[in-house]
Amino acid sequence: MTVTIADLTRQIRIDHISAVYTAARVAREVAAEAGLPEVLAERAAVIASELAGNIDKHATDGTVFIHRSLAGAGVDIHAADSGPGMTDLDYWRIDGHSTTATLGTGLGAVGRLATEFRIRSAAGSGTTAAARTLVTGTNTTGVAHVRLAREGEDQCGDGLALADLPDARTIAVVDGLGHGPGAAEAAETAIDLFRRNPGRPIRDHLTAMHRSLRQTRGAAVALARISGGLLEFCGVGNIGGLVLTPGQSRPLLGMPGIVGFTLPDPHIRTVELPEHHLVVLHTDGIGNGWRGAAPLGPLPAPALLAADLAHRYRDPHDDATLIAVGSGTGTP
């Protein structure tokens, strides 16, 4: 059994060449915090430098997101922009076609240095890239996330944890009321309770959290368990959920209430999951404007979706957390 609690995502706006060096420094710091050996920390720094430099030179309104990976011992580096996009990705992924004046290696080196690398770009619609550097031997999983504090604050009132059990995967997303230290206390209380016994039934989780959060300002909570082609879901408050399958989008609706104050009788919804699916949960710091027609073709990679939504739909005046869990493995 493994329980991973999401650290805070570090966000670097790429609005000046100095931000490229900041991205490299932050990647190196996060890698060290994750316990990665120095060679992997330097790889993470090069990856962040190249992705940030690409934005600085060719794009506008770009952001790099860096955090410890939920997939294992490693670092996730996401980059998204609203620039002109690239019409020939294969060309830019060839080594030697540097996108910046930094290291002279380009996107080809990013692909070689990263354990996993995905990039999506189209003329006129910007570029989204997701790279992951993991310790050798770490099992990769189709999961990605962001967890962002309200701009200008160091503490995040959202909490996120992922538990891999022998026969199931369970997700807890918590949104403490408001923001700042009080919201963070509520979220941390709920996540710590989840961490201690992740395998308990969802209904029992909510009941236990309700008791523990009575001494806090309360929170919205969503719990999801994926096992054997089935999804169990229960949400209380304003945490959104969605199951994406090719050609179909199914919302996961929560119930009104505040865990710690007014908990309704929990209604556990069960959803059958086809072979190819993507489960997305997010707090209201990620707007719902992205929800539309489901993709008719292949589902987006979880990390590309997480990076894109954090860049385009994040409310900077609120904490924002999102997790995307896909049916495949090794797809960031």
Side-chain angles (χ1 to χ4, degrees), residues 206 209-210 213 216-221 236 257-263:
L206 288 169
M209 288 179 183
H210 183 59
L213 293 183
T216 73
R217 62 173 59 174
V221 177
V236 178
I258 302 171
V259 179
F261 284 86
T262 53
L263 178 68

Side-chain angles (χ1 to χ4, degrees), residues 38-287:
E38 185 175 351
V39 63
L40 291 185
E42 288 306 313
R43 286 185 184 181
V46 172
I47 291 167
S49 175
E50 288 296 337
L51 294 180
N54 187 49
I55 293 172
D56 176 68
K57 186 172 182 180
H58 297 291
T60 57
D61 185 29
T63 308
V64 171
F65 304 98
I66 304 173
H67 51 238
R68 295 195 210 185
S69 177
L70 281 182
V75 176
D76 288 350
I77 303 168
H78 301 162
D81 65 63
S82 303
M86 293 178 280
T87 56
D88 189 353
L89 274 176
D90 289 338
Y91 171 81
W92 288 108
R93 293 183 75 158
I94 298 172
D95 277 350
H97 292 296
S98 177
T99 53
T100 74
T102 53
L103 300 175
T105 50
L107 293 178
V110 173
R112 285 189 297 101
L113 292 172
T115 307
E116 298 164 344
F117 179 50
R118 299 287 187 276
I119 185 167
R120 180 180 62 205
S121 187
S125 60
T127 300
T128 305
R132 174 172 288 164
T133 301
L134 295 170
V135 171
T136 301
T138 300
N139 292 326
T140 60
T141 56
V143 58
H145 80 286
V146 292
R147 179 173 172 257
L148 294 156
R150 183 188 185 197
E151 286 199 357
E153 296 192 0
D154 296 326
Q155 290 185 282
C156 181
D158 289 353
L160 170 64
L162 175 70
D164 281 315
L165 309 173
D167 58 349
R169 165 172 281 174
T170 304
I171 306 160
V173 182
V174 181
D175 183 354
L177 263 62
H179 53 84
E185 179 193 10
E188 289 167 5
T189 298
I191 291 296
D192 183 62
L193 196 64
F194 172 83
R195 176 190 59 80
R196 283 185 259 159
N197 188 7
R200 75 170 80 188
I202 287 177
R203 181 184 296 271
D204 293 348
H205 268 305
L206 288 169
T207 301
M209 288 179 183
H210 183 59
R211 288 195 300 265
S212 294
L213 293 183
R214 284 174 180 165
Q215 304 304 315
T216 73
R217 62 173 59 174
V221 177
L223 296 166
R225 177 164 289 151
I226 302 169
S227 176
L230 290 178
L231 168 71
E232 290 182 286
F233 173 82
C234 187
V236 178
N238 54 5
I239 295 176
L242 201 68
V243 177
L244 286 174
T245 57
Q248 188 177 20
S249 170
R250 289 178 287 178
L252 298 171
L253 302 177
M255 304 173 292
I258 302 171
V259 179
F261 284 86
T262 53
L263 178 68
D265 182 32
H267 172 68
I268 313 300
R269 180 180 177 186
T270 301
V271 178
E272 291 189 13
L273 297 173
E275 180 181 0
H276 301 291
H277 63 265
L278 187 59
V279 177
V280 184
L281 301 175
H282 64 84
T283 64
D284 61 351
I286 303 289

